[in-house]
Amino acid sequence: MISRIKSCGLVGIDGYVVEIETDISSGIPSFDIVGLGDAAVRESKERVRAAIKNSGMEFPVRRITVNLSPASIRKEGSHFDLGIALGILSATEQINTSEIHKYMFIGELSLDGQIRPVNGVLPMAVRARDEGIENIILSVDNAEEAAVVKGVNVLPAVNIINVIRHLNKDMEINPYTIDIDRLFCKNTEDELDFSDVKGQENVKRALEVAASGGHNCLLIGSPGSGKTMIARRIPSILPSMTFEEALEVTKIHSIAGTLPAKTPLMTRRPFRSPHHTISRYSLIGGGNVPRPGEISLAHYGVLFLDEVPEYGKEALEVMRQPLEDGYVTISRLSGSISYPSKTMLVCCGNPCRCGNLLDESKECCCSPKQVQQYLGKISSPLMDRIDLHIEVAGVQYADLDSTQSGEKSHVIRDRVNKTRKIQVERYKGLGIFSNSQLTSSLISKYCKLDNEGKALLKNAFERLGLSARAHNRILKVARTIADMDESVDIKLQHLAEAIQYRSLDRKVWGR
């Protein structure tokens, strides 16, 4: 007899239905699993055999063939265990199969039949909903994550006996539900607050612009000027995520296995801060079966590179295409996988080895060649992809000695949310959520200038020696500044402020 059980596989951040076909026939006893499974899939034979026996069910001593269809796509992971076990029990008529077509089964089995949690449950639940599958049975520990998806009944089971009794209608597993609104209403206060920063009002303003539009930024200044301190407080002013953004971010972290414990939905924007010794593969993703890298784990959040000139040049250069396109494609022998990478890149660094190049109160001891070698790792093409270049001056003693508290992060965040809401409404239906994601055609539509603005931008373009990409970046930033002022049109002062954030093109990289 042949049985058919539905489970799910993963390609990139999307799931696809896997039909587990089980045939049991006479012949020399054997247990074969076909369909391009990896080592974890092949080893499931022993887990399934032990789980069925230790659960008090009969394991057939016959020729068993399990096919994971479609057989042309490589399968990986231990989450097919439950489906394989139920396929064998179905083929041997030990369970009721009258409604089994309405279920998707996901879970790893322990040797005593317990159902263990697995990675990537959220995109699997999304696929079940999209395919019209009514129910999904999985581990109790995965229930919260899957329940984020509406339109499918999430049935958490402790062990395979619970599943068998549910299918045989001897007991009922109640659907698990979750209040999505409650997840978004959780306390969002941060330990790090912008009010801790003394002085640096121009830097705070620039970072508010960056957060409002999702723009990449670079902070350059002497050691001790507060670059890292300020940058690490950026999450406290980032705008609230929409449900669509939260769902996409959670899918990536679910697949990568980096979803925080007891966090069914990531409602806070991710903040990733890898060390400068990171390899290019860890940064953009890789492996025999490609996994998302730091730039994808920071999707819709912040990728923070501290002391950016210390990073390997190869690691920095591989980010150019993902930053421009908003996704990274990794090709291996097993196939090509694309992961989204719409991240806000925040870089910090000294202008030279000694750090005093831009400090007028100190003398720089580096030669022009040494400065060029130090900054040479940050190429001009990469600089073109950074919207805001922010010069961080040293803090004055009067600011440090002041007892006056700065503006709280939640106050700035409220303004950022207001600005981002304008952008979400403007780009509704276009699949973008911020000005930083504008394409060339959309820039022409939404970033129009009057004659005075065109003259100012032309003058800046010629004097600073800007590239066409830098020209578009200025327009995006100007659009964000106009939104912060709730202005429909980009005015001269908005454009002028956007242009001043390109000063390092000439002062440092233009040397």
Side-chain angles (χ1 to χ4, degrees):
M1 179 179 176
I2 294 179
S3 69
R4 290 180 172 84
I5 301 289
K6 289 185 177 68
S7 189
C8 195
L10 294 170
V11 174
I13 64 169
D14 297 315
Y16 66 95
V17 174
V18 173
E19 190 171 61
I20 301 174
E21 301 173 320
T22 305
D23 174 67
I24 298 180
S25 58
S26 58
I28 298 175
S30 63
F31 189 177
D32 297 310
I33 299 177
V34 297
L36 283 182
D38 68 350
V41 174
R42 294 192 296 271
E43 290 173 353
S44 68
K45 292 186 291 186
E46 304 307 321
R47 293 192 296 272
V48 168
R49 190 195 311 269
I52 290 177
K53 287 183 176 180
N54 292 327
S55 297
M57 309 301 288
E58 179 186 351
F59 187 86
V61 187
R62 302 174 67 187
R63 183 177 181 84
I64 304 170
T65 304
V66 175
N67 177 46
L68 305 180
S69 175
S72 59
I73 302 177
R74 184 171 180 81
K75 322 293 186 311
E76 62 166 350
S78 58
H79 59 273
F80 296 110
D81 288 5
L82 181 58
I84 292 172
L86 292 172
I88 292 172
L89 295 176
S90 174
T92 54
E93 300 182 342
Q94 297 183 65
I95 58 174
N96 182 1
T97 60
S98 60
E99 296 184 350
I100 207 164
H101 62 281
K102 298 179 180 179
Y103 291 84
M104 175 181 282
F105 301 93
I106 297 168
E108 176 186 325
L109 291 178
S110 65
L111 299 185
D112 62 354
Q114 299 289 314
I115 302 176
R116 290 177 171 168
V118 295
N119 295 333
V121 163
L122 181 59
M124 295 179 189
V126 172
R127 176 52 57 189
R129 179 199 64 190
D130 294 345
E131 292 290 332
I133 299 172
E134 298 177 17
N135 310 288
I136 179 170
I137 293 184
L138 36 62
S139 166
V140 172
D141 294 331
N142 284 139
E144 264 199 323
E145 182 183 339
V148 168
V149 181
K150 301 302 179 184
V152 60
N153 295 321
V154 176
L155 307 177
V158 175
N159 52 44
I160 194 172
I161 291 296
N162 290 158
V163 179
I164 294 169
R165 294 182 64 193
H166 175 81
L167 294 174
N168 289 340
K169 301 187 184 304
D170 295 330
M171 65 167 283
E172 184 178 355
I173 301 176
N174 295 320
Y176 188 94
T177 58
I178 192 170
D179 185 0
I180 300 296
D181 294 334
R182 178 181 59 82
L183 296 177
F184 279 92
C185 290
K186 283 185 177 180
N187 185 12
T188 58
E189 291 301 316
D190 295 87
E191 292 183 7
L192 302 177
D193 197 279
F194 259 57
S195 61
D196 301 331
V197 181
K198 301 290 186 178
Q200 304 292 13
E201 298 304 322
N202 63 317
V203 180
K204 293 179 187 177
R205 164 68 181 183
L207 291 180
E208 183 179 342
V209 172
S212 296
H215 301 290
N216 302 328
C217 58
L218 168 68
L219 286 75
I220 286 285
S222 57
S225 57
K227 303 182 299 294
T228 303
M229 177 185 180
I230 299 172
R232 288 196 176 277
R233 282 159 173 75
I234 290 177
S236 67
I237 66 168
L238 290 178
S240 305
M241 283 208 287
T242 64
F243 177 74
E244 291 77 12
E245 287 177 318
L247 198 63
E248 196 166 335
V249 169
T250 307
K251 285 167 69 175
I252 297 172
H253 285 263
S254 177
I255 289 165
T258 57
L259 194 63
K262 298 181 180 179
T263 306
L265 185 70
M266 292 185 65
T267 58
R268 302 289 302 278
R269 295 185 183 274
F271 182 86
R272 307 291 297 185
S273 180
H275 192 261
H276 66 258
T277 56
I278 190 172
S279 69
R280 59 178 178 175
Y281 300 109
S282 297
L283 196 56
I284 67 163
N288 291 331
V289 178
R291 290 294 187 189
E294 290 292 332
I295 197 168
S296 294
L297 293 174
H299 183 56
Y300 288 141
V302 173
L303 176 62
F304 176 48
L305 305 183
D306 198 9
E307 301 298 342
V308 65
E310 301 296 337
Y311 284 75
K313 188 169 184 178
E314 283 189 352
L316 294 177
E317 292 304 302
V318 295
M319 293 194 300
R320 284 160 51 179
Q321 179 266 329
L323 288 174
E324 187 74 14
D325 297 340
Y327 64 89
V328 55
T329 300
I330 307 166
S331 297
R332 295 291 185 268
L333 288 175
S334 57
S336 295
I337 293 178
S338 292
Y339 290 110
S341 59
K342 293 176 181 176
T343 179
M344 176 180 165
L345 177 66
V346 178
C347 304
C348 288
N350 298 329
C352 61
R353 284 283 179 188
C354 72
N356 298 328
L357 180 65
L358 299 178
D359 193 337
E360 296 179 356
S361 65
K362 298 178 183 178
E363 183 178 353
C364 177
C365 60
C366 302
S367 68
K369 183 177 180 180
Q370 288 174 322
V371 173
Q372 186 59 43
Q373 287 177 338
Y374 186 70
L375 295 177
K377 292 181 181 178
I378 312 174
S379 65
S380 293
L382 182 59
M383 284 293 292
D384 272 350
R385 289 165 171 82
I386 298 177
D387 304 350
L388 284 78
H389 305 165
I390 307 165
E391 186 176 337
V392 184
V395 184
Q396 301 299 314
Y397 179 78
D399 292 326
L400 292 174
D401 191 49
S402 174
T403 58
Q404 185 176 357
S405 179
E407 197 172 29
K408 290 283 188 181
S409 288
H410 70 86
V411 177
I412 302 174
R413 189 196 300 125
D414 288 343
R415 293 199 298 266
V416 170
N417 275 325
K418 190 175 181 180
T419 304
R420 191 63 73 92
K421 185 178 180 181
I422 293 172
Q423 297 167 45
V424 170
E425 290 295 323
R426 180 192 298 133
Y427 307 129
K428 185 176 291 186
L430 298 178
I432 62 177
F433 303 97
S434 66
N435 290 328
S436 64
Q437 300 169 21
L438 288 172
T439 62
S440 297
S441 60
L442 293 177
I443 289 174
S444 301
K445 182 177 180 180
Y446 295 110
C447 302
K448 294 179 180 179
L449 301 177
D450 56 20
N451 291 333
E452 286 185 334
K454 290 178 180 178
L456 176 61
L457 186 55
K458 178 184 177 182
N459 185 39
F461 186 86
E462 294 173 348
R463 291 184 61 186
L464 296 178
L466 301 176
S467 66
R469 184 178 287 112
H471 170 274
N472 286 348
R473 299 275 173 176
I474 289 174
L475 289 175
K476 292 180 184 181
V477 174
R479 178 67 269 169
T480 297
I481 297 171
D483 290 340
M484 293 170 70
D485 283 348
E486 300 184 46
S487 173
V488 176
D489 300 319
I490 298 176
K491 298 179 180 178
L492 206 59
Q493 65 266 28
H494 304 144
L495 185 60
E497 184 178 352
I499 291 172
Q500 78 164 355
Y501 293 132
R502 304 295 305 191
S503 61
L504 293 179
D505 280 330
R506 179 181 58 183
K507 291 182 69 174
V508 179
W509 276 263
R511 286 175 171 243

